[in-house]
Amino acid sequence: MAWLLVVVAGILETGFAVCLKLSHGFTRLFPTIAFAAFALGSFGLLTLALRRLDVGPAYAVWTGIGAAGTAIYGMVFLGDVVSTLKIVSITMVIAGVVGLQLSGSAH
């Protein structure tokens, strides 16, 4: 269950990163409110997960999901440049996240 919280928190991290961009320096109301909601949800779920997980692997998985998710979202929906190197790098991040999750850091 703790790993599920980390995964959802990582997805919410993608949301707050995207909304941060869309807020244009916190000058647009809806993206700013969405940023705050996603950030609070993400940090809240990560905090709950850290009650049962080691901080290193949990934090790495959280940031990995957020980084990969944000990069993918940017390429699919925001017109970010797509390249072979980006795809390979995102794949490596995801592989690292899976490896850390499989390492079994639960107490």
Side-chain angles (χ1 to χ4, degrees), residues 75 82-95:
M75 288 186 289
V82 178
S83 70
T84 301
L85 182 57
K86 276 188 180 181
I87 301 296
V88 169
S89 298
I90 291 168
T91 302
M92 289 172 35
V93 168
I94 293 169

Side-chain angles (χ1 to χ4, degrees), residues 36-51:
F38 283 128
L40 287 171
S42 181
F43 285 114
L45 292 177
L46 180 62
T47 299
L48 292 174
L50 289 176
R51 291 179 178 174

Side-chain angles (χ1 to χ4, degrees), residues 2 14 46 59:
T14 297
L46 180 62
Y59 184 76

Side-chain angles (χ1 to χ4, degrees), residues 10-73:
I11 293 167
L12 293 176
E13 184 188 0
T14 297
F16 83 68
V18 170
C19 288
L20 185 60
K21 176 175 177 57
L22 298 176
S23 77
H24 291 273
F26 300 123
T27 61
R28 294 188 175 162
L29 183 61
F30 175 73
T32 298
I33 291 169
F35 161 80
F38 283 128
L40 287 171
S42 181
F43 285 114
L45 292 177
L46 180 62
T47 299
L48 292 174
L50 289 176
R51 291 179 178 174
R52 295 200 165 266
L53 300 174
D54 293 336
V55 69
Y59 184 76
V61 168
W62 177 71
T63 58
I65 292 170
T70 303
I72 292 167
Y73 188 94

